[in-house]
């Protein structure tokens, strides 16, 4: 997985800082604070300035904002680096209430002359604890405005025992996000791009014992924007959305084609996910979901396991065939380093395959005859600037450009230090180039599809010759949609090809068949921190988008044979120390209970003997999942009842393919983790399945109570235990609350199934 390379563009922010008025609250237009409420939340704005100084949950009487910490307005404007400062600034504020649930605020020139005007409209949902925020900026012409920050919600209090849930691809939970800020000299800012690394327009800050703030947006057209959280040394928090207008100084007015959403809730990230799901599944991407509409290849949902191997076919296809023979269920291949070029520096010179076309086709065809299919790696937009094709095909004019006309090139490969740079997804040049590669890979070399690396990402491009809006806009995702349509128009359906992509994102659900989500293995690439992976994306879109992927491995990382030999480590693809076996079990357990297709990285047949217990666990897990697909593939994510789990300390390895230079390619940590992993799913026919996996080498008593009314289950039914080889009756239930008691065996895997009686 590659992290998005961020290019810092210098700019300066013009924010209005005006003198505060009185802090008393009133709904009258002549009072110091003008408020609107819907019986659930109340918003209060300072009459003299338009500052947001109050955001209250009426039910709990809690005000999220410390008015004394609010220094600026709920908006700010940024001009591009090198541009002149904004001229006349709007200082006169006025308010109108067209109805009891709406407040319109206008900032205009004090002398009522021409110049920038900012108009904001804030409306409250008539039934929910949500507010909707609109902004319109007039008089922008010749001002070179690059960013419009709105809303800016400043002075957010510390809620105590805070957790911050962020929809980073699969999902992240930041525990105590203000940690370390008391004595910090400079504010700490988290920024996430959407569409891109932020898979959904959703963040949630909460204390699960009291109150929480729901931050969202309702953009259905994939306009690029940034969500930010800034923590300062005064323990204050500022939230903002950076809206990005087309960079065109002839545009006089900008109004985003979407609303920001601010709300209050009681609960946790699952509560926030359910609020978002209610909106998300009604949108176009779900209506056109390839998975939901059965437009994916027939073999894809039947995949029991993915083998993610690298190199030539004997190191990849032969190993997958071995695993399939052991598993007895469909195993397919996610294949890196099959290509002619060195990884991460000579893209897109993929063809012919490095082992030769004839050998490649023969191996792929032989594997398909044994029902092992393969999808092969090709980065979705990168081109190596040191390749012969970069010059020969005159690629530079069609790559994405920064605001100062430069490329985004970056050297991922630490062994060669050769750069690659993003091509602009909106250009026909790149769409035709990539589609032609897919044509060859599928139609000539007979693969079963393409894995499009870095697919769920988004760059701002400022090249005027490309014909799209400069900077801001929705051309990137639209271009990706055109690209996938072009690919599918070219590739033969003979081998039922699919398109998979790195990451996950609501805006790509209609375009991709499968999403690689690697957060189950966060520790392997990020180590230990206050950030934990959570299945936030699964809680919203599991039944609309198939996910797979994991760095979970029992061996040291491989090393590309086309990289410099002097950096090749001696231990490549040798078994890792047994200390890290529990980490492997943890990663596979997460994948299982989070409803993903299981994946093992760098599998080799010798592991079936040298790491027998771990491979047996994975086989048991894959078989159990296969017996419960109505939940773990097609089900809707639900809250799991309280199931107590003992904790255990395990060894954690942080490792990467880019560590061979120094020889020490593993960083070691300790982490305390649950022994039991759980996830609850509701099937389309109304049954409930609770997936449970144990990484402990001891038996664990499982005792919990399930309130059937919380899952809309009828009062009577039966409870079954689904395992890798059986489905047995555990007990019946006949009350709203049913007590479950059983013993989970050492390294056990099962799904508890609650089936209503007809």
């Amino acid at each position: 997985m590659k992290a998005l390379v961020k290019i810092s563009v210098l700019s300066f922010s013009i924010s209005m800082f005006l003198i505060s008025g009185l802090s008393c609250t009133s709904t009258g237009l002549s009072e110091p604070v003008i408020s609107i409420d819907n019986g659930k939340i109340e918003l209060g704005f300072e009459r003299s300035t338009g500052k947001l100084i109050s955001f209250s949950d009426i039910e709990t009487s809690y005000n999220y904002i410390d008015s004394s910490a609010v220094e600026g307005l709920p908006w700010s404007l940024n001009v591009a680096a090198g541009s002149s400062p904004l001229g006349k600034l709007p200082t006169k504020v006025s308010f109108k209430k067209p109805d009891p649930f709406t407040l319109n605020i206008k900032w205009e020139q004090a002398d009522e002359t021409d110049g920038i005007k900012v108009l904001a409209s804030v409306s409250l949902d008539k039934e929910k604890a949500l507010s909707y925020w609109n902004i319109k900026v007039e008089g922008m012409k010749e001002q070179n405005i690059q960013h419009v920050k709105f809303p800016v919600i400043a002075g957010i209090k510390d809620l105590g025992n805070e957790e911050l849930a962020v929809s980073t691809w699969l999902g992240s939970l930041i525990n105590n996000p203000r940690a370390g800020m008391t004595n910090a000299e400079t504010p700490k800012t988290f920024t996430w791009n959407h569409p891109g690394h932020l898979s959904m327009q959703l963040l949630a800050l909460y204390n699960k014992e009291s109150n929480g703030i729901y931050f969202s947006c309702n953009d259905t057209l994939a306009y690029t924007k940034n969500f930010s959280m800034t923590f300062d040394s005064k323990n204050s928090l500022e939230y903002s959305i950076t809206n990005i207008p087309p960079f065109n100084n002839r545009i006089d007015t900008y109004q985003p084609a979407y609303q920001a959403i601010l709300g209050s809730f009681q609960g946790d990230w699952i509560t926030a996910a359910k609020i978002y799901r209610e909106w998300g599944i009604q949108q176009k991407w779900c209506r056109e979901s390839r998975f939901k509409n059965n437009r994916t290849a027939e073999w894809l949902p039947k995949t029991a396991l993915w083998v993610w191997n690298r190199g030539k076919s004997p190191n990849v296809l032969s190993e997958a065939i071995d695993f399939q023979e052991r598993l007895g269920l469909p195993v397919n291949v996610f294949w890196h380093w099959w290509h002619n070029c060195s990884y991460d520096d000579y893209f897109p010179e993929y063809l012919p395959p490095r082992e030769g076309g004839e050998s490649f086709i023969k191996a792929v065809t032989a594997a398909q005859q044994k029902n092992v299919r393969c999808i092969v790696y090709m980065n979705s937009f990168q081109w190596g600037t040191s390749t012969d094709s970069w010059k020969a095909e005159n690629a530079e004019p069609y790559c994405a450009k920064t605001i100062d006309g430069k490329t985004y090139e970056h050297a991922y490969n630490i062994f060669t230090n050769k750069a690659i740079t993003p091509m602009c997804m909106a250009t026909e040049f790149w769409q035709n180039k990539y589609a032609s590669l897919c044509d060859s890979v599928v139609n000539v070399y007979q693969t079963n599809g393409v894995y499009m690396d870095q697919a769920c990402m988004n760059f701002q491009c400022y090249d005027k010759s490309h014909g799209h809006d400069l900077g801001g806009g929705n051309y990137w995702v639209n271009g990706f949609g055109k690209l996938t349509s072009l690919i599918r128009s070219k590739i033969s359906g003979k081998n039922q090809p699919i398109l998979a992509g790195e990451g996950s994102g609501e805006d790509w659900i209609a375009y991709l068949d499968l999403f690689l989500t690697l957060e189950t293995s966060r520790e392997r690439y990020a180590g230990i921190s206050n950030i934990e992976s959570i299945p936030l994306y699964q809680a919203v879109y599991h039944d609309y988008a198939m996910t797979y992927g994991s760095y979970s491995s029992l061996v040291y990382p491989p090393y590309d044979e086309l990289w410099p030999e002097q950096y090749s480590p001696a231990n490549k693809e040798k078994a890792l120390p047994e200390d890290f076996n529990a980490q492997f079990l943890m990663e596979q357990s997460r994948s299982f209970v989070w409803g993903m297709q299981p994946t093992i990285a760098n599998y080799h047949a010798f592991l079936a003997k040298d790491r027998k217990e771990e491979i047996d666990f994975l086989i048991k897990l894959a078989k159990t999942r296969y017996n419960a697909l109505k939940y773990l593939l097609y089900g809707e994510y639900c809250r799991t009842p309280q199931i107590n789990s003992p904790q255990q300390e395990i060894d954690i390895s942080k490792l990467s393919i880019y560590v061979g230079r120094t020889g020490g390619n593993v960083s070691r940590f300790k982490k305390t983790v649950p022994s039991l992993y759980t996830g609850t799913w509701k099937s389309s026919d109304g049954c409930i399945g609770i997936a449970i996996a144990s990484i402990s080498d001891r038996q664990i008593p499982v005792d919990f109570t399930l309130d059937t009314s919380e899952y809309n289950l009828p009062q009577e039914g039966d409870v079954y235990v689904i395992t890798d080889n059986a489905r047995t009756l555990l007990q019946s239930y006949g009350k709203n609350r049913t007590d479950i008691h059983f013993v989970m065996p050492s390294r056990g895997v099962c799904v508890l199934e609650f089936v209503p009686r007809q």
Side-chain angles (χ1 to χ4, degrees):
M1 183 181 71
K2 298 182 180 64
L4 176 60
V5 179
K6 295 184 179 179
I7 305 299
S8 298
V9 179
L10 294 177
S11 62
F12 57 89
S13 174
I14 306 299
S15 299
M16 298 294 295
F17 299 101
L18 301 177
I19 299 174
S20 299
L22 300 177
S23 58
C24 59
T25 302
S26 172
T27 57
L29 290 179
S30 61
E31 298 297 330
V33 177
I34 299 176
S35 301
I36 51 173
D37 78 80
N38 62 355
K40 296 182 181 296
I41 57 174
E42 180 183 53
L43 299 174
F45 295 85
E46 188 175 71
R47 179 174 177 79
S48 62
T49 65
K51 293 179 186 177
L52 177 71
I53 60 172
S54 175
F55 167 36
S56 300
D57 185 296
I58 293 176
E59 181 179 344
T60 61
S61 301
Y62 185 82
N63 184 2
Y64 291 104
I65 292 179
D66 175 4
S67 61
S68 66
V70 180
E71 297 179 340
L73 295 177
W75 57 266
S76 69
L77 308 178
N78 300 329
V79 299
S83 300
S84 300
L86 292 177
K88 295 181 179 180
L89 301 177
T91 58
K92 180 181 178 182
V93 61
S94 59
F95 300 84
K96 286 186 179 180
K97 274 189 177 180
D99 60 66
F101 301 106
T102 304
L103 185 63
N104 296 332
I105 313 172
K106 179 167 67 174
W107 292 267
E108 58 187 333
Q109 303 301 318
D111 55 6
E112 299 184 356
T113 58
D114 292 338
I116 290 177
K117 293 181 182 179
V118 176
L119 301 93
S121 178
V122 183
S123 59
L124 303 180
D125 195 287
K126 294 182 180 179
E127 299 178 356
K128 304 171 184 176
L130 299 175
S131 60
Y132 307 96
W133 298 63
N134 300 269
I135 190 170
K136 182 178 181 181
V137 182
E138 298 178 346
M140 292 172 51
K141 197 171 183 180
E142 306 297 337
Q143 298 286 350
N144 292 323
I145 293 176
Q146 186 180 4
H147 297 149
V148 175
K149 289 181 67 174
F150 177 85
V152 180
I153 312 298
I156 298 174
K157 299 175 183 176
D158 188 337
L159 305 181
N161 296 319
E162 284 181 325
E163 295 180 340
L164 174 61
V166 186
S167 53
T168 51
W169 284 352
L170 190 61
S172 297
L173 187 66
I174 306 175
N175 296 292
N176 190 13
R178 303 181 201 238
M181 291 306 302
T182 304
N183 299 317
E185 295 181 0
T186 58
K188 177 173 65 175
T189 298
F190 298 95
T191 298
W192 304 274
N193 174 246
H194 177 274
H197 196 208
L198 209 63
S199 62
M200 303 178 289
Q201 303 160 77
L202 172 62
L203 292 83
L205 179 75
Y206 59 86
N207 177 335
K208 56 188 175 185
E209 302 299 329
S210 55
N211 288 74
I213 309 178
Y214 177 88
F215 304 100
S216 185
C217 191
N218 60 9
D219 180 10
T220 62
L221 299 174
Y223 281 90
T224 187
K225 66 192 78 67
N226 294 326
F227 292 71
S228 296
M229 292 277 192
T230 298
F231 300 87
D232 64 25
S233 59
K234 299 177 182 178
N235 209 32
S236 180
L237 167 62
E238 178 182 283
Y239 163 80
S240 65
I241 297 178
T242 299
N243 307 279
I244 306 172
F247 191 64
N248 185 340
N249 62 10
R250 291 175 293 179
I251 295 177
D252 195 58
T253 300
Y254 170 66
Q255 183 173 10
Y258 50 83
Q259 299 169 306
I261 300 173
L262 179 69
S264 178
F265 71 99
Q266 286 79 50
D268 57 12
W269 63 267
I270 300 175
T271 312
K274 292 306 178 184
I275 296 171
Y276 192 84
R277 176 181 165 87
E278 185 178 348
W279 172 81
I281 62 174
Q282 299 179 43
Q283 305 314 312
K284 180 180 179 180
W285 47 76
C286 284
R287 295 195 301 270
E288 298 182 3
S289 160
R290 294 187 60 79
F291 176 42
K292 197 73 168 181
N293 292 305
N294 296 314
R295 297 174 63 197
T296 62
E298 183 181 358
W299 58 266
L300 179 56
K302 296 178 181 178
T303 301
L305 183 89
W306 288 93
V307 168
W308 179 1
N309 278 25
R310 303 176 186 239
K312 296 174 183 176
S313 56
N315 198 55
V316 180
L317 298 178
S318 299
E319 302 290 15
I321 291 169
D322 174 85
F323 205 114
Q324 180 169 263
E325 291 173 351
R326 299 178 191 278
L327 178 61
L329 293 171
V331 171
N332 294 312
V333 169
F334 174 35
W335 193 350
H336 278 48
W337 302 359
W338 63 277
H339 40 73
N340 187 54
C341 62
S342 166
Y343 183 70
D344 264 356
D345 51 11
Y346 281 100
F347 301 156
E349 297 181 353
Y350 301 107
L351 302 174
R354 66 177 59 181
E355 68 185 79
E358 183 177 347
S359 173
F360 183 89
I361 294 171
K362 183 179 179 180
V364 167
T365 303
Q368 290 167 345
Q369 290 172 351
K370 295 185 177 181
N371 293 317
V372 171
R373 297 170 174 84
C374 65
I375 60 172
V376 295
Y377 174 101
M378 290 200 302
N379 192 286
S380 63
F381 54 67
Q382 300 280 9
W383 200 312
T385 57
S386 60
T387 59
D388 292 338
S389 58
W390 175 257
K391 294 180 179 179
E393 298 184 42
N394 192 29
E396 193 278 336
Y398 307 99
C399 69
K401 307 296 195 309
T402 64
I403 196 169
D404 54 1
K406 297 180 181 179
T407 67
Y408 286 93
E409 65 181 72
H410 176 76
Y412 289 99
N413 192 325
I414 68 170
F415 305 121
T416 67
N417 286 316
K418 294 184 182 299
I420 52 179
T421 195
M423 302 301 293
C424 181
M425 190 63 70
T427 62
E428 290 185 4
F429 174 86
W430 177 248
Q431 293 168 13
N432 289 329
K433 172 67 177 179
Y434 196 84
S436 70
L437 291 169
C438 294
D439 180 355
S440 296
V441 163
V442 173
N443 296 337
V444 177
Y445 294 104
Q446 298 298 302
T447 70
N448 301 98
V450 175
Y451 165 76
M452 305 173 69
D453 193 25
Q454 297 186 296
C456 296
M457 295 177 72
N458 177 17
F459 281 80
Q460 297 167 43
C461 177
Y462 291 85
D463 193 317
K464 295 179 181 179
S465 69
H466 294 176
H468 56 68
D469 287 335
L470 301 186
N474 59 355
Y475 49 85
W476 194 274
V477 174
N478 287 345
F480 190 92
K482 292 177 182 178
L483 171 60
T484 53
S485 294
L486 182 60
I487 293 169
R488 289 193 166 96
S489 73
K490 289 179 175 291
I491 58 179
S492 167
K494 172 187 172 185
N495 290 328
Q496 298 187 62
I498 68 165
L499 296 178
E502 182 190 14
S504 54
E506 59 193 9
D507 296 286
W508 284 268
I509 289 175
Y511 304 136
L512 292 172
D513 301 287
L514 184 65
F515 296 88
L516 180 78
T517 49
L518 296 170
E519 284 92 333
T520 54
S521 302
R522 174 188 289 275
E523 293 83 0
R524 285 195 193 244
Y525 59 83
I528 307 299
S529 70
N530 65 334
I531 303 177
E532 295 285 340
S533 296
I534 54 174
L536 186 57
Y537 187 77
Q538 305 293 74
V540 177
Y541 290 126
H542 177 262
D543 45 340
Y544 289 87
M546 274 185 283
T547 54
Y548 80 120
S550 173
Y551 282 126
S552 185
S553 177
L554 293 164
V555 301
Y556 287 94
Y559 185 87
D560 191 345
E561 62 184 356
L562 299 182
W563 289 343
E565 178 61 28
Q566 64 265 36
Y567 301 132
S568 178
N571 60 7
K572 55 183 179 291
E573 301 202 69
K574 301 282 181 64
L576 280 164
E578 294 185 3
D579 300 354
F580 302 121
N581 289 350
Q583 181 181 9
F584 176 86
L585 301 179
M586 174 188 70
E587 293 165 324
Q588 295 296 342
S589 296
R590 284 173 174 168
S591 177
F592 171 69
V593 303
W594 291 353
M596 300 169 61
Q597 290 184 331
T599 303
I600 181 172
N602 311 313
Y603 171 73
H604 298 289
F606 71 80
L607 293 171
K609 177 182 178 181
D610 292 359
R611 296 292 183 270
K612 184 179 187 307
E613 291 186 9
E614 288 67 41
I615 296 301
D616 286 350
F617 178 85
L618 179 54
I619 289 174
K620 179 167 53 179
L621 180 148
K623 287 183 174 181
T624 303
R625 175 188 173 275
Y626 216 70
N627 292 334
L629 291 182
K630 66 185 290 185
Y631 306 108
L632 298 177
L633 178 63
Y634 299 103
E636 177 186 344
Y637 187 88
C638 300
R639 185 183 299 279
T640 298
Q642 183 64 43
I643 301 176
N644 292 327
S645 169
Q647 303 286 297
Q648 64 185 82
E649 186 179 68
I650 66 173
D651 289 287
I652 293 292
S653 61
K654 178 185 177 184
L655 69 174
S656 162
I657 59 173
Y658 286 126
V659 290
R661 174 182 293 180
T662 60
N665 54 358
V666 176
S667 297
R668 181 186 291 265
F669 303 90
K670 294 282 188 179
K671 184 173 184 178
T672 300
V673 301
S675 295
L676 290 180
Y677 288 83
T678 60
T680 299
W681 305 89
K682 188 168 189 176
S683 64
S684 59
D685 61 1
C687 301
I688 294 294
I690 302 178
I692 308 176
S694 170
I695 69 170
S696 175
D697 57 6
R698 300 179 181 180
Q699 293 183 343
I700 299 177
V702 177
D703 302 287
F704 68 93
T705 299
L706 184 129
D707 186 342
T708 56
S709 65
E710 291 184 3
Y711 302 91
N712 294 319
L713 282 170
Q715 291 191 13
E716 295 185 349
D718 298 306
V719 183
Y720 294 88
V721 179
I722 299 173
T723 63
D724 58 325
N725 57 16
R727 178 176 182 263
T728 57
L729 180 66
L730 177 66
Q731 65 183 72
S732 298
Y733 67 87
K735 300 178 181 179
N736 280 342
R737 296 175 62 84
T738 182
D739 295 324
I740 302 295
H741 307 282
F742 73 101
V743 176
M744 193 71 171
S746 167
R747 296 186 174 182
V749 180
C750 72
V751 173
L752 294 183
E753 185 180 31
F754 294 76
V755 181
R757 290 184 185 150
Q758 301 298 323

